[in-house]
Amino acid sequence: MGTEIKATDIKIKERAFPIVIVGHIDHGKSTLIGRMLHDTGSLPNGKVEELQSSCDRRSAPFEWSFVLDSLQLERDQAITVDSTQIWFHTETRRYVIIDAPGHREFLRNMVTGAANANAGVIVIDAEQGVSEQTRRHAYLLHLIGIPQVIVAINKMDLVDYSEDRFKEVEAEMTAYLKEIGLDAQAMIPVSAANGENLSRKSYKMPWYTGLTVTDALDAFPRVAAPVERPFRMPVQDIYRYDGRRLIAGRVESGQLEVGSDLTVWPTGRTAKVLSFESWATPKEKATISAGESVALTLSDELFVERGHILTLPTAGPRTANTLSVRLFWLSKTPLQRGESLTLKLATAEYDVVVESIDTVIDVDDLSRGRGHEVIQNGVAEITLRCRSNITYDLFYDLPALGRAVLIDGYQVVGGCIIEGGADVETASRNLTAVPQSVSSDERQVANGYPGAVLWMSGLSGAGKSTLAMALQRELFNRNIYVYTLDGDNVRNGLNRDLGFSEEERDENIRRVAEVAKLFADAGMIVISAFIAPTNAARAQAREIIGDRFHEVHISADMNVCESRDVKGLYAKARRGEIEDFTGISSPWEPPENPDLEVNTGELSLDDSLGKMVRYIEQRVLQAKDKAISSNH
Amino acid sequence: MDDLDALEAQSIFILREAFNKFEPLGLLWSLGKDSCVMIWLAKKAFLGRMPFPAIHLDTGLEFPEAYAFRDRYSKEWDLDLIADDCPPLEEVDPSLPPDSRLAARKSLGLQQAIDRYGYKALITGIRRDEQATRAKERVFSPRGVDNSWDFREQPPEFWDQYNTDFPPGTHVRVHPLLHWTEVDIWRYIERENIPMVPLYYAKNGERYRSLGEMGITLPIKSNATTIAQIITELDETKDPERAGRTMDHESEDSFERLRTTGYL
């Protein structure tokens, strides 16, 4: 049956081409859409009759715009409340129209609809001419990244189909579009109410020889996924299945093959791509590319979390703590300098402060002025500052990582495109930037050994605390500066705001790692005794602490640990009285390549201790020789 | 990447956002074609296992074929199925027209599920092309404390940056299929070979185009026994998809009333 034509092969069944129709409230957008649906035969049976009889009941004249205004409330108010999506088709393809309401206060709805469009139609009333709203909509189309537009100069019937009037409006609009950098593919004189130049050529305007609206739409190319651009994949989530970590996200640009090196931003760490994972796909994937939602595994347990960006080692993104953005503001409350907001860029969220409002743009006459605030529906160039580094691209390079929304509390209050970035010294950076007056090497020479972190992990009951205390005593007796960080002394103080959810456990470990690093920087040997159940958590600790990190796996079989149950915790967990108990009701991933493994199920306490002391003698205490010799 | 791949990728992205941001999360499974496609997409998004329950709001009035389908595929698809009975008809607003009252039992069942299991968000399979009021939906759509939908005050949603932070007490509907059309759904079912309740395929000159409860869902005249024939039929028809759902047409605003008070 190889010759059977499947429905999926039929060209007209391709995904609908999304277009947005914008313009001043009374310039006839809905009429244009309603009439175009009718003229292309795209209306369901009975729709026009249904509306006509509804109008008769209300003793109101029928209008084409009623086709769209299917909500009763809208008919009562005679305005389109929200972005509406309507499907229609020409002979070449299907379309989905986003009817963007012109009413000023509904601009957020227009942005909502328009941002998904591949092309825009700007409708202008030939009699009224170009209005402030027309210009605002055109400006926003450009700002949200709509690459192609046509202009329909409507209600030509009201100006007696006058070529002169058309030319006037055309000239005015062309001049405005040129100034904002938008190039209209066509300017078409139409009468939507009468169907002139919509889907058939008008005999009333023989002076016009260009395309009809539907022909002009059919001429728009589809916006292709940016496969040829540098690879970018914002991390959406991490899933753990069968002991494997799958990194999930959508490829925003470029392509990637199995075996490629990948760099994680902002950490800058690199690993190889092991596999692309999927379910119910015919064959295993060797390549992924822009537009695909994927899941992948890496060769190393790097610290990766939501918000990180994966790229190839070359052609990476930019990073900066200060961004210059062009903003459109949607909130009723004006934006002011110094305000704190959340910047959502791809899957990352950053706390930012409005450093300055640099230029307020009047989209009507395009004049640029200084201003101390941005009002609702206003456009401005502002500077945002973040305490950490933001990973981004410039909007004109790679839109997906070059645009962001701004959130105030629970509300999306604006959108912005990134036009530049800079690394500006901030107070918090200066703190870390001050060079220590005593270097690590000097401390090492003075102490006779380098600072180090012995990161012990293992199940509850494996003997971490017992061993840690014995080891601490042993080292202290040898005049070594040593300190033990354990769950109790950290959880009761520094981390008393944290609970035991997966996120809070990760944060607990992150803070412990930062503290351990400071102690080790100060020259101490730090013993940390935490469960740290996942490879990811330990990978993050290793990343924070760096070369001084020594991973020690205190291993003992689950049943050994449970039979010890010194604190009675296993019994409680088995009774369901403790949620998220590692090994029973929450996962335990044993370390894969620890620097040292101590099996307390097989070794006595003395032997276990001896094994750890020998390791420290060889790997930490004797390391001084190297450091000292390199100093001379 | 063809257009079905693009639709699939977008829906997977939405499902993963929902799973990352809301806990507890559930998926409403009506047993109809759209929610079956949605479960399929969820299995793709989460590599074979849907990590949240499939909730069937059971009125006791589904077709026998639908119950058989539920019992079989909740096992085959390894679903965590929750199928509680909806509250009885007596509890429904008596001012609604009769068939809308039957449908409104689902709204009560939905509220009951939210109260009982505390869902922060529920994933549903509505599409913009189905019905005019659904065309106005957001992908992440907040509901008030009484589960009501304020379509006049919806948050902006653009550049795939979905609103996922809401004040306490807000309940969210997530719509991963909002951008699909009826024909897209069938083309995807064909490509992926997704099992469906057999009532969608013609028997004795009739088939169901939209599947609801017995008594308030009417079949259409059709000889389409294969997906290719269904797609051809849809290409030629100008009848709306929900023509066979009697409650939509009882009065001019009946479906709109159902939706603003919490119906899907």
Side-chain angles (χ1 to χ4, degrees), chain A residues 215-236:
Chain A
D215 286 345
L217 290 176
D218 285 345
F220 281 134
R222 208 177 263 282
V223 178
V227 175
E228 302 303 327
R229 308 289 295 141
F231 180 79
R232 297 285 185 271
M233 177 179 147
V235 175
Q236 210 178 351

PDB file of all heavy atoms in Angstrom, chain A residues 215-236:
ATOM      1  N   ASP A 215      -3.376  37.507  -1.269  1.00  0.00           N
ATOM      2  CA  ASP A 215      -2.177  37.213  -2.074  1.00  0.00           C
ATOM      3  C   ASP A 215      -0.918  37.662  -1.344  1.00  0.00           C
ATOM      4  O   ASP A 215       0.110  36.976  -1.362  1.00  0.00           O
ATOM      5  CB  ASP A 215      -2.249  37.917  -3.431  1.00  0.00           C
ATOM      6  CG  ASP A 215      -3.247  37.234  -4.361  1.00  0.00           C
ATOM      7  OD1 ASP A 215      -3.630  36.082  -4.038  1.00  0.00           O
ATOM      8  OD2 ASP A 215      -3.637  37.840  -5.368  1.00  0.00           O
ATOM      9  N   ALA A 216      -1.001  38.835  -0.706  1.00  0.00           N
ATOM     10  CA  ALA A 216       0.158  39.343   0.023  1.00  0.00           C
ATOM     11  C   ALA A 216       0.498  38.420   1.199  1.00  0.00           C
ATOM     12  O   ALA A 216       1.664  38.164   1.482  1.00  0.00           O
ATOM     13  CB  ALA A 216      -0.106  40.764   0.526  1.00  0.00           C
ATOM     14  N   LEU A 217      -0.559  37.899   1.878  1.00  0.00           N
ATOM     15  CA  LEU A 217      -0.322  36.969   2.988  1.00  0.00           C
ATOM     16  C   LEU A 217       0.341  35.691   2.484  1.00  0.00           C
ATOM     17  O   LEU A 217       1.288  35.180   3.083  1.00  0.00           O
ATOM     18  CB  LEU A 217      -1.642  36.620   3.686  1.00  0.00           C
ATOM     19  CG  LEU A 217      -2.305  37.744   4.497  1.00  0.00           C
ATOM     20  CD1 LEU A 217      -3.656  37.281   5.042  1.00  0.00           C
ATOM     21  CD2 LEU A 217      -1.407  38.192   5.647  1.00  0.00           C
ATOM     22  N   ASP A 218      -0.190  35.177   1.365  1.00  0.00           N
ATOM     23  CA  ASP A 218       0.367  33.933   0.819  1.00  0.00           C
ATOM     24  C   ASP A 218       1.832  34.094   0.435  1.00  0.00           C
ATOM     25  O   ASP A 218       2.584  33.112   0.377  1.00  0.00           O
ATOM     26  CB  ASP A 218      -0.442  33.480  -0.401  1.00  0.00           C
ATOM     27  CG  ASP A 218      -1.787  32.867  -0.002  1.00  0.00           C
ATOM     28  OD1 ASP A 218      -1.954  32.548   1.196  1.00  0.00           O
ATOM     29  OD2 ASP A 218      -2.662  32.720  -0.882  1.00  0.00           O
ATOM     30  N   ALA A 219       2.248  35.340   0.175  1.00  0.00           N
ATOM     31  CA  ALA A 219       3.631  35.571  -0.249  1.00  0.00           C
ATOM     32  C   ALA A 219       4.615  35.603   0.932  1.00  0.00           C
ATOM     33  O   ALA A 219       5.824  35.553   0.730  1.00  0.00           O
ATOM     34  CB  ALA A 219       3.720  36.891  -1.022  1.00  0.00           C
ATOM     35  N   PHE A 220       4.097  35.669   2.156  1.00  0.00           N
ATOM     36  CA  PHE A 220       5.003  35.684   3.321  1.00  0.00           C
ATOM     37  C   PHE A 220       5.661  34.323   3.502  1.00  0.00           C
ATOM     38  O   PHE A 220       4.968  33.310   3.606  1.00  0.00           O
ATOM     39  CB  PHE A 220       4.231  35.974   4.613  1.00  0.00           C
ATOM     40  CG  PHE A 220       3.894  37.419   4.823  1.00  0.00           C
ATOM     41  CD1 PHE A 220       2.623  37.783   5.225  1.00  0.00           C
ATOM     42  CD2 PHE A 220       4.854  38.410   4.666  1.00  0.00           C
ATOM     43  CE1 PHE A 220       2.305  39.113   5.460  1.00  0.00           C
ATOM     44  CE2 PHE A 220       4.542  39.741   4.892  1.00  0.00           C
ATOM     45  CZ  PHE A 220       3.266  40.093   5.283  1.00  0.00           C
ATOM     46  N   PRO A 221       6.974  34.261   3.604  1.00  0.00           N
ATOM     47  CA  PRO A 221       7.599  32.978   3.925  1.00  0.00           C
ATOM     48  C   PRO A 221       7.411  32.648   5.405  1.00  0.00           C
ATOM     49  O   PRO A 221       7.258  33.547   6.231  1.00  0.00           O
ATOM     50  CB  PRO A 221       9.079  33.208   3.612  1.00  0.00           C
ATOM     51  CG  PRO A 221       9.275  34.676   3.701  1.00  0.00           C
ATOM     52  CD  PRO A 221       7.959  35.325   3.373  1.00  0.00           C
ATOM     53  N   ARG A 222       7.384  31.361   5.707  1.00  0.00           N
ATOM     54  CA  ARG A 222       7.299  30.909   7.088  1.00  0.00           C
ATOM     55  C   ARG A 222       8.616  31.219   7.803  1.00  0.00           C
ATOM     56  O   ARG A 222       9.690  31.093   7.219  1.00  0.00           O
ATOM     57  CB  ARG A 222       7.060  29.404   7.095  1.00  0.00           C
ATOM     58  CG  ARG A 222       6.321  28.898   8.289  1.00  0.00           C
ATOM     59  CD  ARG A 222       6.082  27.411   8.127  1.00  0.00           C
ATOM     60  NE  ARG A 222       4.760  27.098   7.606  1.00  0.00           N
ATOM     61  CZ  ARG A 222       3.656  27.112   8.345  1.00  0.00           C
ATOM     62  NH1 ARG A 222       3.700  27.434   9.609  1.00  0.00           N
ATOM     63  NH2 ARG A 222       2.486  26.802   7.807  1.00  0.00           N
ATOM     64  N   VAL A 223       8.535  31.630   9.053  1.00  0.00           N
ATOM     65  CA  VAL A 223       9.753  31.902   9.817  1.00  0.00           C
ATOM     66  C   VAL A 223      10.356  30.559  10.245  1.00  0.00           C
ATOM     67  O   VAL A 223       9.717  29.778  10.934  1.00  0.00           O
ATOM     68  CB  VAL A 223       9.452  32.767  11.057  1.00  0.00           C
ATOM     69  CG1 VAL A 223      10.713  32.997  11.868  1.00  0.00           C
ATOM     70  CG2 VAL A 223       8.838  34.096  10.624  1.00  0.00           C
ATOM     71  N   ALA A 224      11.565  30.296   9.790  1.00  0.00           N
ATOM     72  CA  ALA A 224      12.180  28.997  10.043  1.00  0.00           C
ATOM     73  C   ALA A 224      12.882  28.976  11.397  1.00  0.00           C
ATOM     74  O   ALA A 224      13.344  30.007  11.891  1.00  0.00           O
ATOM     75  CB  ALA A 224      13.186  28.688   8.939  1.00  0.00           C
ATOM     76  N   ALA A 225      12.947  27.783  12.004  1.00  0.00           N
ATOM     77  CA  ALA A 225      13.686  27.631  13.260  1.00  0.00           C
ATOM     78  C   ALA A 225      15.164  27.908  12.988  1.00  0.00           C
ATOM     79  O   ALA A 225      15.698  27.501  11.966  1.00  0.00           O
ATOM     80  CB  ALA A 225      13.490  26.223  13.811  1.00  0.00           C
ATOM     81  N   PRO A 226      15.844  28.630  13.910  1.00  0.00           N
ATOM     82  CA  PRO A 226      17.235  29.048  13.656  1.00  0.00           C
ATOM     83  C   PRO A 226      18.252  27.909  13.817  1.00  0.00           C
ATOM     84  O   PRO A 226      19.088  27.925  14.706  1.00  0.00           O
ATOM     85  CB  PRO A 226      17.455  30.157  14.694  1.00  0.00           C
ATOM     86  CG  PRO A 226      16.478  29.878  15.781  1.00  0.00           C
ATOM     87  CD  PRO A 226      15.321  29.143  15.173  1.00  0.00           C
ATOM     88  N   VAL A 227      18.149  26.924  12.920  1.00  0.00           N
ATOM     89  CA  VAL A 227      19.011  25.737  13.001  1.00  0.00           C
ATOM     90  C   VAL A 227      20.471  26.074  12.746  1.00  0.00           C
ATOM     91  O   VAL A 227      21.379  25.466  13.314  1.00  0.00           O
ATOM     92  CB  VAL A 227      18.516  24.671  11.981  1.00  0.00           C
ATOM     93  CG1 VAL A 227      19.452  23.475  11.943  1.00  0.00           C
ATOM     94  CG2 VAL A 227      17.106  24.231  12.332  1.00  0.00           C
ATOM     95  N   GLU A 228      20.714  27.076  11.906  1.00  0.00           N
ATOM     96  CA  GLU A 228      22.095  27.385  11.519  1.00  0.00           C
ATOM     97  C   GLU A 228      22.813  28.310  12.506  1.00  0.00           C
ATOM     98  O   GLU A 228      23.967  28.646  12.308  1.00  0.00           O
ATOM     99  CB  GLU A 228      22.107  28.039  10.127  1.00  0.00           C
ATOM    100  CG  GLU A 228      21.477  27.195   9.032  1.00  0.00           C
ATOM    101  CD  GLU A 228      22.130  25.822   8.899  1.00  0.00           C
ATOM    102  OE1 GLU A 228      23.355  25.722   9.135  1.00  0.00           O
ATOM    103  OE2 GLU A 228      21.412  24.850   8.596  1.00  0.00           O
ATOM    104  N   ARG A 229      22.142  28.737  13.547  1.00  0.00           N
ATOM    105  CA  ARG A 229      22.748  29.653  14.513  1.00  0.00           C
ATOM    106  C   ARG A 229      23.458  28.855  15.610  1.00  0.00           C
ATOM    107  O   ARG A 229      23.311  27.644  15.702  1.00  0.00           O
ATOM    108  CB  ARG A 229      21.655  30.560  15.119  1.00  0.00           C
ATOM    109  CG  ARG A 229      20.790  31.277  14.098  1.00  0.00           C
ATOM    110  CD  ARG A 229      21.556  32.374  13.385  1.00  0.00           C
ATOM    111  NE  ARG A 229      21.929  33.416  14.333  1.00  0.00           N
ATOM    112  CZ  ARG A 229      23.102  34.056  14.311  1.00  0.00           C
ATOM    113  NH1 ARG A 229      23.998  33.750  13.411  1.00  0.00           N
ATOM    114  NH2 ARG A 229      23.363  34.996  15.190  1.00  0.00           N
ATOM    115  N   PRO A 230      24.238  29.524  16.468  1.00  0.00           N
ATOM    116  CA  PRO A 230      24.942  28.808  17.543  1.00  0.00           C
ATOM    117  C   PRO A 230      23.981  28.038  18.459  1.00  0.00           C
ATOM    118  O   PRO A 230      22.855  28.481  18.690  1.00  0.00           O
ATOM    119  CB  PRO A 230      25.630  29.936  18.323  1.00  0.00           C
ATOM    120  CG  PRO A 230      25.756  31.056  17.359  1.00  0.00           C
ATOM    121  CD  PRO A 230      24.591  30.956  16.434  1.00  0.00           C
ATOM    122  N   PHE A 231      24.454  26.905  18.963  1.00  0.00           N
ATOM    123  CA  PHE A 231      23.608  26.037  19.785  1.00  0.00           C
ATOM    124  C   PHE A 231      23.304  26.674  21.146  1.00  0.00           C
ATOM    125  O   PHE A 231      24.211  27.117  21.846  1.00  0.00           O
ATOM    126  CB  PHE A 231      24.278  24.682  19.992  1.00  0.00           C
ATOM    127  CG  PHE A 231      23.466  23.735  20.832  1.00  0.00           C
ATOM    128  CD1 PHE A 231      22.400  23.043  20.273  1.00  0.00           C
ATOM    129  CD2 PHE A 231      23.756  23.544  22.183  1.00  0.00           C
ATOM    130  CE1 PHE A 231      21.631  22.170  21.048  1.00  0.00           C
ATOM    131  CE2 PHE A 231      22.993  22.676  22.965  1.00  0.00           C
ATOM    132  CZ  PHE A 231      21.933  21.994  22.390  1.00  0.00           C
ATOM    133  N   ARG A 232      22.012  26.702  21.492  1.00  0.00           N
ATOM    134  CA  ARG A 232      21.579  27.195  22.799  1.00  0.00           C
ATOM    135  C   ARG A 232      20.475  26.295  23.323  1.00  0.00           C
ATOM    136  O   ARG A 232      19.465  26.082  22.644  1.00  0.00           O
ATOM    137  CB  ARG A 232      20.998  28.608  22.694  1.00  0.00           C
ATOM    138  CG  ARG A 232      21.953  29.674  22.222  1.00  0.00           C
ATOM    139  CD  ARG A 232      22.927  30.055  23.334  1.00  0.00           C
ATOM    140  NE  ARG A 232      23.772  31.162  22.940  1.00  0.00           N
ATOM    141  CZ  ARG A 232      24.945  31.040  22.309  1.00  0.00           C
ATOM    142  NH1 ARG A 232      25.411  29.838  22.004  1.00  0.00           N
ATOM    143  NH2 ARG A 232      25.650  32.103  22.008  1.00  0.00           N
ATOM    144  N   MET A 233      20.649  25.791  24.526  1.00  0.00           N
ATOM    145  CA  MET A 233      19.566  25.031  25.158  1.00  0.00           C
ATOM    146  C   MET A 233      19.439  25.445  26.619  1.00  0.00           C
ATOM    147  O   MET A 233      20.251  25.068  27.452  1.00  0.00           O
ATOM    148  CB  MET A 233      19.832  23.522  25.056  1.00  0.00           C
ATOM    149  CG  MET A 233      18.752  22.701  25.762  1.00  0.00           C
ATOM    150  SD  MET A 233      19.074  20.927  25.595  1.00  0.00           S
ATOM    151  CE  MET A 233      18.443  20.335  27.162  1.00  0.00           C
ATOM    152  N   PRO A 234      18.421  26.240  26.938  1.00  0.00           N
ATOM    153  CA  PRO A 234      18.166  26.576  28.342  1.00  0.00           C
ATOM    154  C   PRO A 234      17.652  25.333  29.072  1.00  0.00           C
ATOM    155  O   PRO A 234      16.805  24.615  28.544  1.00  0.00           O
ATOM    156  CB  PRO A 234      17.069  27.644  28.267  1.00  0.00           C
ATOM    157  CG  PRO A 234      17.034  28.093  26.836  1.00  0.00           C
ATOM    158  CD  PRO A 234      17.490  26.930  26.021  1.00  0.00           C
ATOM    159  N   VAL A 235      18.185  25.073  30.267  1.00  0.00           N
ATOM    160  CA  VAL A 235      17.771  23.892  31.017  1.00  0.00           C
ATOM    161  C   VAL A 235      16.430  24.168  31.687  1.00  0.00           C
ATOM    162  O   VAL A 235      16.263  25.154  32.394  1.00  0.00           O
ATOM    163  CB  VAL A 235      18.831  23.528  32.080  1.00  0.00           C
ATOM    164  CG1 VAL A 235      18.344  22.371  32.949  1.00  0.00           C
ATOM    165  CG2 VAL A 235      20.148  23.189  31.402  1.00  0.00           C
ATOM    166  N   GLN A 236      15.478  23.265  31.408  1.00  0.00           N
ATOM    167  CA  GLN A 236      14.129  23.438  31.945  1.00  0.00           C
ATOM    168  C   GLN A 236      13.963  22.666  33.249  1.00  0.00           C
ATOM    169  O   GLN A 236      13.305  23.120  34.168  1.00  0.00           O
ATOM    170  CB  GLN A 236      13.134  22.912  30.903  1.00  0.00           C
ATOM    171  CG  GLN A 236      11.809  23.606  30.911  1.00  0.00           C
ATOM    172  CD  GLN A 236      10.883  23.065  29.830  1.00  0.00           C
ATOM    173  OE1 GLN A 236      11.282  22.289  28.960  1.00  0.00           O
ATOM    174  NE2 GLN A 236       9.636  23.473  29.883  1.00  0.00           N
TER     175      GLN A 236
END
